[in-house]
């Protein structure tokens, strides 16, 4: 066999002997042969490609365990793994980008903002649907707080209502000036503890939480799980939350299309829930005429976005909520369905 000393191999693949010794110790690239007497490492010429691949994957920032997996794969499968790895990095970066945007928004005042006082007109309703024996969703709307929680497990109903109940204080208390970040942190902490108590130590009990807190000119969003928030602005519908589901992560990694996801058997499997993982935080500048929708997956799972947009385009918040719930039930009502619709309007003087 055509063997190279570690020095010759290092020159050929333009890596240092030190790097090669490290790859060996990390079990990323084992020498083809180690002299049992001298301990010298020897490499086969055929390992050159592998050595370069390891070097590049390390430059990419891929964790060592993942590099080991990739190196063991055929080229096509290895390519798929790298694509999936990078998609995950981008998804995680997007979460950090949103957090950065949240902080920038929090620390800056929009100069275009007019000083007219705004307020919310809102309506909330939760429906059992046509199939489930009980309603485990909780929907709430008040002058400052809008929330939807979708509970699961034997104590699902208890858990989702405990989460929302723990946020209710936000609706009545005066917001401390400039204290929104702290307030949200406290609120999430409180809701998490309330859920832990209500779940009574049983892992299968949990809940999503998607909530908007009105600050007088902005809406602070807290979101974890697969309930959703949408914004209807100038007739266009924007989804402003990202589902924390296994299926969404497969879509993000390019392993599944949106189309395939709608019928995926595990589409309800959550990656995060209250107390498991960190919630997403966003701040939205409110404009008169904006309409926000919070809903559980009992709506978004069966009613397409185009239809949701159409329904939201007309009517009062209560008429819109009723029409959305009806359309979920017309589609079979397979799950509990909860909707909160809130309009941003100029304060009646
Ligand atoms: Mn649900």
């Amino acid at each position: 066999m055509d063997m190279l000393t570690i020095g010759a191999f290092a020159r050929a693949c333009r890596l240092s002997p030190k790097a090669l010794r490290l790859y060996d110790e990390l079990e990323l690239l084992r020498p083809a042969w180690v002299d049992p007497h001298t301990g010298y490492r020897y490499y086969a010429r055929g390992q050159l490609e592998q050595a370069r691949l390891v070097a590049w994957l390390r430059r990419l920032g891929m964790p060592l365990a993942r590099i080991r997996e990739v190196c063991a794969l055929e080229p096509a499968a290895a390519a798929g793994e790298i694509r999936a790895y990078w998609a995950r990095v981008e998804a995680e970066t997007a979460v950090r980008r949103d957090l950065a945007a949240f902080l920038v928004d929090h620390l800056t005042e929009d100069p275009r903002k007019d000083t007219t006082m705004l307020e919310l007109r809102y309506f909330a309703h939760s429906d059992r649907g046509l199939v489930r024996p009980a309603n485990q969703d909780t929907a709430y709307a008040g002058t400052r707080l809008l929330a939807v929680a979708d509970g699961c497990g034997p104590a699902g109903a208890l858990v989702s209502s405990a989460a929302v109940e723990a946020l209710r204080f936000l609706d009545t208390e005066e917001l401390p000036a400039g204290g929104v970040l702290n307030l949200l942190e406290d609120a999430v902490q409180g809701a998490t503890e309330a859920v832990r108590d209500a779940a009574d130590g049983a892992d299968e009990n949990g809940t999503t939480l998607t909530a908007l807190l009105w600050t007088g000119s902005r809406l602070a969003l807290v979101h974890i799980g697969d309930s959703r928030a949408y914004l209807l602005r100038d007739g266009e519908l924007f989804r402003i939350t990202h589902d924390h589901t296994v299926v969404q992560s497969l879509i993000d990694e390019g392993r599944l299309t949106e189309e395939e996801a709608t019928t995926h058997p595990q589409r309800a499997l959550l990656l995060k829930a209250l107390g498991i993982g960190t919630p997403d935080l966003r701040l939205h500048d409110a404009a008169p005429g904006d309409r926000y929708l919070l809903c559980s997956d009992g709506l978004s799972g069966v009613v397409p976005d185009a239809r949701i947009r159409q329904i939201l385009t007309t009517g009062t918040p209560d008429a819109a909520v009723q029409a959305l719930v009806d359309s979920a039930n017309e589609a079979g009502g397979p799950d509990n369905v909860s909707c909160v619709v809130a309009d941003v309007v100029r304060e009646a003087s």
Side-chain angles (χ1 to χ4, degrees):
M1 193 154 63
D2 184 15
M3 292 284 218
L4 301 174
T5 63
I6 189 167
F9 187 74
R11 276 191 298 283
C13 64
R14 286 186 219 92
L15 290 167
S16 66
K18 191 172 161 217
L20 291 173
R21 278 194 291 272
L22 180 68
Y23 294 178
D24 182 11
E25 279 157 22
L26 299 173
E27 296 177 36
L28 296 176
L29 182 72
R30 284 271 142 105
W33 184 65
V34 180
D35 187 314
H37 303 294
T38 63
Y40 286 148
R41 295 168 168 88
Y42 293 86
Y43 292 82
R45 210 167 268 286
Q47 290 184 288
L48 282 172
E49 279 291 302
Q50 186 95 336
R52 285 297 347 158
L53 182 59
V54 170
W56 280 324
L57 292 174
R58 279 177 61 82
R59 193 179 296 174
L60 200 59
M62 188 180 277
L64 301 176
R66 193 104 184 230
I67 295 180
R68 264 197 296 274
E69 282 168 31
V70 169
C71 287
L73 295 170
E74 295 300 312
E81 271 308 302
I82 295 169
R83 199 179 297 121
Y85 164 73
W86 193 248
R88 168 110 333 253
V89 169
E90 289 190 331
E92 285 164 5
T93 306
V95 171
R96 295 173 59 207
R97 179 198 60 211
D98 288 346
L99 183 57
F102 171 87
L103 292 172
V104 169
D105 284 348
H106 175 67
L107 297 170
T108 52
E109 197 71 30
D110 184 355
R112 298 160 303 173
K113 201 183 77 187
D114 69 27
T115 50
T116 320
M117 292 300 281
L118 300 173
E119 63 183 12
L120 297 179
R121 293 283 154 70
Y122 48 82
F123 193 77
H125 182 63
S126 184
D127 188 271
R128 183 174 61 86
L130 303 178
V131 175
R132 296 289 172 90
N135 191 353
Q136 300 194 309
D137 281 5
T138 299
Y140 176 84
T143 48
R144 283 219 180 83
L145 177 72
L146 313 168
V148 163
D150 180 344
C152 65
L158 211 63
V159 168
S160 72
S161 73
V164 173
E165 200 55 42
L167 299 183
R168 287 274 298 270
F169 78 95
L170 295 170
D171 219 11
T172 47
E173 256 171 48
E174 271 305 309
L175 297 186
V180 178
L181 287 187
N182 233 345
L183 199 65
L184 285 179
E185 195 65 41
D186 287 353
V188 168
Q189 195 55 41
T192 304
E193 279 160 21
V195 162
R196 203 167 292 149
D197 291 346
D200 208 21
D203 278 349
E204 67 267 32
N205 294 317
T207 187
T208 71
L209 178 67
T210 301
L212 285 167
L213 175 66
W214 177 243
T215 71
S217 59
R218 286 167 165 171
L219 284 152
L221 170 77
V222 176
H223 165 71
I224 192 156
D226 69 346
S227 300
R228 290 181 176 180
Y230 291 87
L231 165 63
L232 184 79
R233 178 175 278 178
D234 301 326
E236 256 200 278
L237 187 71
F238 305 93
R239 201 220 293 183
I240 57 175
T241 50
H242 194 76
D243 293 350
H244 300 134
T245 58
V246 172
V247 160
Q248 183 63 50
S249 73
L250 292 175
I251 294 171
D252 296 342
E253 292 182 5
R255 296 178 199 251
L256 200 71
T257 66
E258 296 266 3
E259 198 73 12
E260 290 162 339
T262 57
T263 55
H264 197 281
Q266 292 189 309
R267 60 189 176 280
L269 212 58
L270 295 183
L271 278 183
K272 291 184 184 181
L274 199 57
I276 305 162
T278 319
D280 297 339
L281 297 179
R282 301 268 298 265
L283 268 185
H284 279 261
D285 277 309
D290 282 351
R291 170 168 273 190
Y292 283 87
L293 164 68
L294 304 184
C295 67
S296 61
D297 67 333
L299 178 76
S300 52
V302 290
V303 181
D305 282 3
R307 178 72 186 131
I308 292 177
R309 191 198 70 84
Q310 198 181 25
I311 292 171
L312 285 176
T313 308
T314 58
T316 57
D318 33 331
V321 164
Q322 198 50 58
L324 289 167
V325 170
D326 288 348
S327 68
N329 285 334
E330 278 155 25
D335 193 4
N336 306 143
V337 52
S338 299
C339 299
V340 176
V341 169
D343 290 342
V344 178
V345 297
R346 290 182 198 284
E347 204 169 59
S349 48

